[in-house]
Amino acid sequence: MRIGVDIDGVLNYRELFALEEGTKFCAETGKGWLMKPTSHSMRDMYGWNEEIRDEFWREHGIKQMYECPARRYAAEVLSKLREMGHEVWIVTGRNNGDLPANGMPRKTWEEVTKLWLEENNIYYDEIAFNKGGELPNDKGTFCAENNIEIMIDDLPEYLETMAGKTQVMIFDQPYNRDFEMPGAVRVYSWYDIYMKILRIINN
């Protein structure tokens, strides 16, 4: 089986980065306050305009993209799945067009991402960047064209593109709890993912 895995919010603690670093930035700079804690958009969360959001990202973006740790047991579960003969494909919207940030340990975000995966012992068979935009770069089309049988993601705008194209696993987050998709499986941790994948395989 070929299993697709998102990074931000699925392999890492992106939601904690948004809350912890965002509120610290507001307190220290006086720019914005926590308005919508369940939003995925940091501009909506804090009432920032694009200029403030970019200022925050240049100073703190490296914490999400590189310093943020992998979720507990993510590497362990993915290793188990690969040992069972399944393929793991990392499918992410990250790309080299993302705004650079201070402190990048490599020149591009794609290189930074590969370094983060290596340092967190997350092994995979393939990686695809810039998957999350409009057709033909949406994740659903990518999954269909590459025979990805299960895709694990958290962002509703990405999940919507996958309907009817792959088995969807929704990684539970505050910003997707009102999102529903027929046939999708909601997951809450990496060992929950492991058990639910085994159930799909066995059925």
Side-chain angles (χ1 to χ4, degrees):
M1 181 175 286
R2 189 169 287 173
I3 302 165
V5 182
D6 179 47
I7 297 178
D8 297 300
V10 173
L11 280 177
N12 71 9
Y13 293 94
R14 190 265 178 196
E15 71 283 2
L16 294 182
F17 159 80
L19 284 169
E20 293 171 354
E21 298 301 331
T23 52
K24 184 174 185 287
F25 176 84
C26 290
E28 291 178 346
T29 65
K31 297 175 180 179
W33 64 91
L34 185 58
M35 300 169 62
K36 296 180 181 177
T38 60
S39 175
H40 181 268
S41 164
M42 295 196 70
R43 289 181 61 182
D44 290 343
M45 285 179 78
Y46 299 107
W48 293 339
N49 59 26
E50 187 173 349
E51 182 180 355
I52 296 173
R53 189 270 181 190
D54 289 352
E55 176 188 346
F56 169 82
W57 185 258
R58 280 190 291 270
E59 185 174 344
H60 300 285
I62 194 62
K63 296 173 185 175
Q64 174 185 320
M65 302 286 268
Y66 179 68
E67 295 176 10
C68 191
R71 286 188 185 275
R72 191 162 187 172
Y73 302 124
E76 187 172 309
V77 166
L78 290 175
S79 291
K80 285 178 179 287
L81 292 170
R82 294 183 77 237
E83 287 168 5
M84 293 167 62
H86 303 295
E87 292 183 16
V88 171
W89 284 41
I90 306 296
V91 184
T92 178
R94 292 185 178 194
N95 62 83
N96 289 337
D98 289 335
L99 186 69
N102 298 334
M104 293 172 64
R106 296 287 187 272
K107 290 183 179 180
T108 70
W109 281 128
E110 293 182 14
E111 291 173 327
V112 169
T113 298
K114 289 177 179 179
L115 179 63
W116 181 85
L117 291 165
E118 179 183 348
E119 291 182 353
N120 283 274
N121 300 311
I122 294 172
Y123 302 108
Y124 53 91
D125 297 279
E126 299 286 344
I127 187 167
F129 293 98
N130 198 31
K131 301 304 173 189
E134 302 296 326
L135 284 166
N137 288 330
D138 65 291
K139 289 189 178 184
T141 298
F142 181 83
C143 288
E145 290 178 347
N146 290 278
N147 301 311
I148 292 177
E149 296 164 85
I150 294 175
M151 181 66 205
I152 308 162
D153 214 311
D154 62 312
L155 193 58
E157 63 193 70
Y158 291 171
L159 293 163
E160 286 173 347
T161 71
M162 302 173 199
K165 297 177 181 175
T166 185
Q167 170 65 63
V168 173
M169 287 191 162
I170 304 172
F171 199 101
D172 188 71
Q173 292 285 6
Y175 45 80
N176 67 32
R177 288 188 184 140
D178 293 331
F179 179 80
E180 296 182 4
M181 176 184 288
V185 176
R186 189 166 288 269
V187 293
Y188 299 88
S189 71
W190 270 94
Y191 264 101
D192 187 40
I193 290 170
Y194 180 69
M195 291 189 292
K196 287 173 179 173
I197 287 177
L198 292 184
R199 188 182 304 164
I200 289 169
I201 294 168
N202 293 331
N203 288 340

